[in-house]
CSV table of all heavy atoms in Angstrom, one decimal:
chain,number,residue,atom,x,y,z
X,101,LEU,N,99.4,70.9,85.8
X,101,LEU,CA,100.1,72.1,86.3
X,101,LEU,C,100.9,71.7,87.6
X,101,LEU,O,102.1,72.0,87.8
X,101,LEU,CB,99.2,73.3,86.6
X,101,LEU,CG,98.7,74.0,85.4
X,101,LEU,CD1,97.7,75.1,85.7
X,101,LEU,CD2,99.9,74.6,84.6
X,105,PHE,N,104.9,72.0,87.9
X,105,PHE,CA,105.5,73.1,88.6
X,105,PHE,C,105.5,73.0,90.2
X,105,PHE,O,106.0,73.9,90.9
X,105,PHE,CB,104.8,74.5,88.3
X,105,PHE,CG,104.9,74.8,86.8
X,105,PHE,CD1,103.8,74.8,86.0
X,105,PHE,CD2,106.2,75.0,86.2
X,105,PHE,CE1,103.9,75.1,84.6
X,105,PHE,CE2,106.3,75.3,84.8
X,105,PHE,CZ,105.1,75.3,84.1
X,109,PRO,N,107.1,77.7,92.8
X,109,PRO,CA,106.6,79.0,93.0
X,109,PRO,C,105.3,79.3,92.2
X,109,PRO,O,105.1,80.3,91.6
X,109,PRO,CB,107.7,80.0,92.6
X,109,PRO,CG,108.4,79.2,91.5
X,109,PRO,CD,108.3,77.8,91.9
X,110,MET,N,104.3,78.4,92.3
X,110,MET,CA,103.0,78.5,91.7
X,110,MET,C,101.9,78.3,92.7
X,110,MET,O,102.0,77.3,93.4
X,110,MET,CB,102.9,77.6,90.5
X,110,MET,CG,101.5,77.6,89.8
X,110,MET,SD,101.3,76.3,88.6
X,110,MET,CE,101.3,74.8,89.6
X,195,THR,N,103.5,82.9,91.3
X,195,THR,CA,102.6,83.1,90.3
X,195,THR,C,101.2,82.6,90.7
X,195,THR,O,101.2,81.4,91.1
X,195,THR,CB,103.0,82.4,89.0
X,195,THR,OG1,104.3,82.8,88.6
X,195,THR,CG2,102.0,82.7,87.8
X,197,VAL,N,97.6,81.3,89.7
X,197,VAL,CA,96.8,80.8,88.6
X,197,VAL,C,95.4,80.4,89.0
X,197,VAL,O,95.3,79.5,89.8
X,197,VAL,CB,97.5,79.6,87.9
X,197,VAL,CG1,96.8,79.3,86.6
X,197,VAL,CG2,99.0,80.0,87.6
X,206,ILE,N,96.1,84.1,85.1
X,206,ILE,CA,97.1,84.6,86.0
X,206,ILE,C,96.6,85.8,86.7
X,206,ILE,O,96.2,86.8,86.1
X,206,ILE,CB,98.4,85.0,85.2
X,206,ILE,CG1,99.0,83.7,84.5
X,206,ILE,CG2,99.4,85.6,86.1
X,206,ILE,CD1,100.2,84.0,83.6
X,208,ARG,N,98.3,87.0,89.5
X,208,ARG,CA,99.6,87.7,89.9
X,208,ARG,C,100.7,87.1,89.2
X,208,ARG,O,101.0,85.9,89.3
X,208,ARG,CB,99.7,87.5,91.4
X,208,ARG,CG,101.0,88.2,92.0
X,208,ARG,CD,101.0,88.1,93.5
X,208,ARG,NE,101.3,86.8,94.0
X,208,ARG,CZ,101.4,86.4,95.3
X,208,ARG,NH1,101.1,87.3,96.2
X,208,ARG,NH2,101.7,85.2,95.6
X,209,PRO,N,101.5,87.9,88.4
X,209,PRO,CA,102.6,87.3,87.7
X,209,PRO,C,103.8,87.0,88.6
X,209,PRO,O,103.9,87.6,89.7
X,209,PRO,CB,103.1,88.4,86.7
X,209,PRO,CG,102.5,89.7,87.3
X,209,PRO,CD,101.3,89.3,88.2
X,210,GLY,N,104.6,86.0,88.3
X,210,GLY,CA,105.7,85.5,89.1
X,210,GLY,C,106.7,84.8,88.3
X,210,GLY,O,106.8,85.0,87.1
X,211,TYR,N,107.5,84.1,89.0
X,211,TYR,CA,108.7,83.4,88.4
X,211,TYR,C,108.2,82.4,87.3
X,211,TYR,O,108.9,82.2,86.3
X,211,TYR,CB,109.5,82.6,89.5
X,211,TYR,CG,110.7,82.0,89.0
X,211,TYR,CD1,111.9,82.7,88.9
X,211,TYR,CD2,110.7,80.6,88.6
X,211,TYR,CE1,113.0,82.1,88.5
X,211,TYR,CE2,111.9,80.0,88.2
X,211,TYR,CZ,113.0,80.8,88.1
X,211,TYR,OH,114.2,80.2,87.7
X,212,ILE,N,107.1,81.7,87.5
X,212,ILE,CA,106.5,80.8,86.5
X,212,ILE,C,105.7,81.7,85.5
X,212,ILE,O,104.7,82.4,85.9
X,212,ILE,CB,105.5,79.8,87.1
X,212,ILE,CG1,106.2,79.0,88.3
X,212,ILE,CG2,105.0,78.9,86.1
X,212,ILE,CD1,107.3,78.0,87.8
X,213,THR,N,106.1,81.8,84.3
X,213,THR,CA,105.5,82.8,83.4
X,213,THR,C,104.4,82.2,82.6
X,213,THR,O,104.1,81.0,82.6
X,213,THR,CB,106.6,83.2,82.3
X,213,THR,OG1,107.0,82.1,81.6
X,213,THR,CG2,107.8,83.8,83.0
X,214,LYS,N,103.6,83.1,81.9
X,214,LYS,CA,102.5,82.7,81.0
X,214,LYS,C,103.0,81.7,80.0
X,214,LYS,O,102.4,80.6,79.8
X,214,LYS,CB,102.0,83.9,80.3
X,214,LYS,CG,100.8,83.7,79.4
X,214,LYS,CD,100.2,85.1,79.0
X,214,LYS,CE,99.0,84.9,78.2
X,214,LYS,NZ,99.3,84.8,76.8
X,215,ALA,N,104.2,81.9,79.4
X,215,ALA,CA,104.7,81.0,78.4
X,215,ALA,C,104.9,79.6,79.0
X,215,ALA,O,104.6,78.6,78.4
X,215,ALA,CB,106.0,81.6,77.8
X,216,MET,N,105.5,79.6,80.2
X,216,MET,CA,105.7,78.3,80.8
X,216,MET,C,104.4,77.5,81.1
X,216,MET,O,104.3,76.3,80.9
X,216,MET,CB,106.5,78.5,82.1
X,216,MET,CG,107.9,78.9,81.9
X,216,MET,SD,108.6,79.7,83.4
X,216,MET,CE,109.0,78.3,84.4
X,217,LEU,N,103.4,78.3,81.5
X,217,LEU,CA,102.1,77.6,81.8
X,217,LEU,C,101.5,77.1,80.5
X,217,LEU,O,100.9,76.0,80.5
X,217,LEU,CB,101.2,78.6,82.5
X,217,LEU,CG,101.6,79.1,83.9
X,217,LEU,CD1,100.8,80.4,84.3
X,217,LEU,CD2,101.5,78.0,85.0
X,218,GLU,N,101.6,77.9,79.5
X,218,GLU,CA,100.9,77.6,78.2
X,218,GLU,C,101.6,76.3,77.6
X,218,GLU,O,100.9,75.6,76.9
X,218,GLU,CB,101.0,78.8,77.2
X,218,GLU,CG,99.9,79.7,77.5
X,218,GLU,CD,99.9,81.0,76.7
X,218,GLU,OE1,101.0,81.4,76.2
X,218,GLU,OE2,98.9,81.6,76.5
X,219,GLU,N,102.8,76.1,77.9
X,219,GLU,CA,103.4,74.9,77.3
X,219,GLU,C,102.8,73.6,77.9
X,219,GLU,O,102.8,72.6,77.3
X,219,GLU,CB,104.9,74.8,77.7
X,219,GLU,CG,105.8,75.2,76.6
X,219,GLU,CD,107.3,75.2,76.9
X,219,GLU,OE1,107.7,74.1,77.5
X,219,GLU,OE2,108.0,76.2,76.7
X,220,VAL,N,102.2,73.8,79.1
X,220,VAL,CA,101.6,72.6,79.8
X,220,VAL,C,100.1,72.5,79.5
X,220,VAL,O,99.6,71.4,79.3
X,220,VAL,CB,101.8,72.7,81.3
X,220,VAL,CG1,101.2,71.6,82.0
X,220,VAL,CG2,103.3,72.8,81.6
X,224,VAL,N,96.3,80.4,78.2
X,224,VAL,CA,96.3,81.0,79.5
X,224,VAL,C,96.0,82.5,79.4
X,224,VAL,O,96.6,83.1,78.5
X,224,VAL,CB,97.7,80.8,80.2
X,224,VAL,CG1,97.7,81.6,81.5
X,224,VAL,CG2,97.9,79.3,80.5
X,226,ILE,N,95.7,86.5,81.2
X,226,ILE,CA,96.2,87.3,82.3
X,226,ILE,C,95.0,88.2,82.8
X,226,ILE,O,94.3,88.8,81.9
X,226,ILE,CB,97.3,88.2,81.9
X,226,ILE,CG1,98.5,87.3,81.4
X,226,ILE,CG2,97.8,89.1,83.0
X,226,ILE,CD1,99.8,88.1,81.2
X,309,GLU,N,118.5,88.6,85.5
X,309,GLU,CA,117.2,89.1,86.0
X,309,GLU,C,116.8,88.4,87.3
X,309,GLU,O,116.0,88.9,88.1
X,309,GLU,CB,116.1,88.9,84.9
X,309,GLU,CG,116.0,87.6,84.3
X,309,GLU,CD,114.8,87.5,83.2
X,309,GLU,OE1,113.8,88.2,83.4
X,309,GLU,OE2,115.0,86.8,82.3
X,338,THR,N,112.9,92.9,81.6
X,338,THR,CA,113.7,91.8,81.2
X,338,THR,C,112.9,90.6,80.6
X,338,THR,O,111.7,90.6,80.8
X,338,THR,CB,114.5,91.2,82.4
X,338,THR,OG1,113.6,90.8,83.4
X,338,THR,CG2,115.4,92.3,83.0
X,339,PRO,N,113.5,89.7,79.8
X,339,PRO,CA,112.8,88.8,79.0
X,339,PRO,C,111.8,87.8,79.7
X,339,PRO,O,110.7,87.6,79.3
X,339,PRO,CB,113.8,88.0,78.3
X,339,PRO,CG,115.1,88.4,78.8
X,339,PRO,CD,115.0,89.6,79.6
X,340,ARG,N,112.2,87.3,80.8
X,340,ARG,CA,111.4,86.2,81.4
X,340,ARG,C,110.6,86.7,82.6
X,340,ARG,O,109.4,86.7,82.5
X,340,ARG,CB,112.4,85.0,81.9
X,340,ARG,CG,111.8,83.7,82.1
X,340,ARG,CD,112.8,82.6,82.2
X,340,ARG,NE,114.1,83.1,82.8
X,340,ARG,CZ,114.3,83.2,84.1
X,340,ARG,NH1,113.4,82.8,85.0
X,340,ARG,NH2,115.4,83.7,84.6
X,341,ILE,N,111.2,87.1,83.7
X,341,ILE,CA,110.4,87.5,84.8
X,341,ILE,C,110.3,89.0,84.9
X,341,ILE,O,109.8,89.6,85.9
X,341,ILE,CB,111.0,87.0,86.2
X,341,ILE,CG1,112.5,87.0,86.2
X,341,ILE,CG2,110.5,85.6,86.4
X,341,ILE,CD1,113.1,86.5,87.5
X,342,GLY,N,110.6,89.7,83.8
X,342,GLY,CA,110.5,91.2,83.7
X,342,GLY,C,109.0,91.6,84.1
X,342,GLY,O,108.8,92.6,84.7
X,343,GLN,N,108.1,90.8,83.6
X,343,GLN,CA,106.7,91.2,83.8
X,343,GLN,C,106.4,91.2,85.4
X,343,GLN,O,105.7,92.1,85.9
X,343,GLN,CB,105.7,90.2,83.1
X,343,GLN,CG,104.3,90.7,83.3
X,343,GLN,CD,103.3,89.9,82.5
X,343,GLN,OE1,103.4,88.7,82.3
X,343,GLN,NE2,102.3,90.6,82.0
X,344,ALA,N,106.9,90.2,86.0
X,344,ALA,CA,106.7,90.1,87.5
X,344,ALA,C,107.4,91.2,88.2
X,344,ALA,O,106.9,91.9,89.1
X,344,ALA,CB,107.1,88.7,88.0
Side-chain angles (χ1 to χ4, degrees):
L101 287 174
F105 302 114
M110 175 187 71
T195 306
V197 186
I206 296 175
R208 180 175 70 184
Y211 186 85
I212 306 289
T213 63
K214 181 168 184 276
M216 290 161 77
L217 297 165
E218 279 177 335
E219 258 181 50
V220 178
V224 171
I226 299 187
E309 54 180 324
T338 58
R340 198 168 31 84
I341 39 178
Q343 185 175 37

